[in-house]
Amino acid sequence: QVQVAESGGGLVQAGGSLRLSCIASGSSFSVDHTDWYRQPPGKQREWVAGMPGSGVTSVTGRFTVSRDKAKNAVNLEIDSLKPEDTGVYYCNIRGWRSIRGTLSPFDIWGQGTQVTVSS
């Protein structure tokens, strides 16, 4: 079974930066794509940034996704934080896992980590 967990959220001041981590755990799996989403208070979940499984770094505006191979983690760094960046940030991983020699796709979400940006 593959699991994913986010960490690194917290309360930060506007203008600062924050790094969130997404760590996948399990056995016999490969990742096709990792995406970060967020859900602002009272709003729908929205895509923030992402990277293919073979990627190293991806930049989308103020958001940088990078891979930490040593920790098997995909990080999201947010620069120049704004109050509107406040929300719960989720990691989504899609890939394949081997179960008794048979490849099966998976698409899993973490439980999210809260980011609150004060003005």
Side-chain angles (χ1 to χ4, degrees):
Q1 186 175 358
V2 182
Q3 296 180 321
V4 59
E6 306 94 338
S7 63
L11 174 63
V12 294
Q13 287 191 330
S17 62
L18 191 66
R19 174 177 289 182
L20 309 179
S21 289
C22 171
I23 296 179
S25 61
S27 62
S28 303
F29 71 95
S30 61
V31 175
D32 281 350
H33 215 278
T34 302
D35 289 281
W36 283 93
Y37 290 77
R38 69 183 180 188
Q39 187 163 16
K43 297 184 179 180
Q44 291 188 338
R45 193 174 298 186
E46 61 187 13
W47 182 85
V48 172
M51 186 170 68
S54 59
V56 177
T57 302
S58 176
V59 180
T60 306
R62 297 182 293 112
F63 303 92
T64 300
V65 180
S66 62
R67 181 177 311 283
D68 184 340
K69 288 187 176 180
K71 298 180 180 179
N72 199 25
V74 174
N75 300 322
L76 173 69
E77 184 162 348
I78 312 171
D79 296 322
S80 303
L81 281 158
K82 305 175 182 180
E84 50 264 44
D85 291 321
T86 294
V88 179
Y89 284 71
Y90 297 90
C91 177
N92 171 252
I93 293 179
R94 289 171 281 131
W96 297 83
R97 56 178 175 168
S98 177
I99 303 175
R100 291 186 290 276
T102 300
L103 287 178
S104 297
F106 67 84
D107 183 339
I108 59 174
W109 294 80
Q111 293 189 337
T113 184
Q114 175 71 45
V115 172
T116 303
V117 183
S118 62
S119 58

